[in-house]
Amino acid sequence: MIDANHVVGLLCAFGVQEGEAYESEGPQAAGLLPQRIIGMRNDRLVLLAPSEIRYAEADRNIVWLVTERGRIQAATRGLDNVERSLVPHGFRRVHRRFLVNLARVAELERGIKGELFLIMNSRAHEFVPVSRRHAPELRRMLGV
């Protein structure tokens, strides 16, 4: 960066050593670096592997990611936007407010009136409701 003919800073790609050429077809393009989901906790950005996330819950336009590290606000607003980034990692919409990591479903529970709940963590009593609209596809995907 130049200001009044003086160099004030240098812009370089993150992770590239000085003197190395930056290649857009580098390790990340080849799939060597894991994709991360960005969350926010206080003033910090939190990098999450998709496998760390048990489920995502929408509260209006804010999405909360439930992980072993607690509830973390997603940097991306809107459940539809979060869904686009998580579906390739085994997440499915099960309710208008919930996306779940199918690999993290511990148990299924049927309600008195035929409702279906996913138990994500039996010790913490994390129950995620499944809407009637999503129940048939979810049962098929889980093989029940």
Side-chain angles (χ1 to χ4, degrees):
M1 192 179 326
I2 299 176
D3 182 74
N5 294 327
H6 293 90
V7 176
V8 216
L10 178 64
L11 179 64
C12 64
F14 180 75
V16 176
Q17 298 295 323
E18 187 176 345
E20 286 183 352
Y22 173 71
E23 298 177 22
S24 62
E25 300 299 319
Q28 189 171 13
L32 299 177
L33 294 178
Q35 181 180 357
R36 299 292 186 168
I37 304 301
I38 308 297
M40 297 183 307
R41 180 181 285 151
N42 301 325
D43 292 334
R44 293 184 177 181
L45 294 178
V46 181
L47 303 176
L48 297 164
S51 61
E52 289 183 79
I53 303 167
R54 289 195 296 267
Y55 65 93
E57 179 180 3
D59 181 13
R60 294 192 180 106
N61 209 21
I62 294 174
V63 179
W64 294 96
L65 306 172
V66 178
T67 71
E68 300 297 327
R69 299 191 239 174
R71 286 171 55 97
I72 297 171
Q73 183 178 339
T76 305
R77 295 180 64 84
L79 193 60
D80 290 338
N81 295 325
V82 173
E83 181 177 18
R84 277 191 283 281
S85 61
L86 290 176
V87 162
H89 302 284
F91 283 75
R92 291 292 176 256
R93 176 83 68 116
V94 297
H95 187 277
R96 65 183 160 85
R97 289 184 45 219
F98 291 93
L99 288 170
V100 297
N101 183 345
L102 294 178
R104 302 290 301 263
V105 174
E107 301 174 20
L108 296 169
E109 183 175 305
R110 291 186 201 158
I112 298 170
K113 297 179 183 176
E115 308 97 345
L116 184 62
F117 297 94
L118 301 176
I119 301 170
M120 305 304 292
N121 182 344
S122 56
R123 287 176 285 159
H125 303 291
E126 286 180 344
F127 291 83
V128 174
V130 177
S131 70
R132 283 179 278 180
R133 181 178 127 199
H134 291 97
E137 182 184 355
L138 182 67
R139 282 190 176 106
R140 182 186 57 76
M141 294 178 93
L142 295 173
V144 293

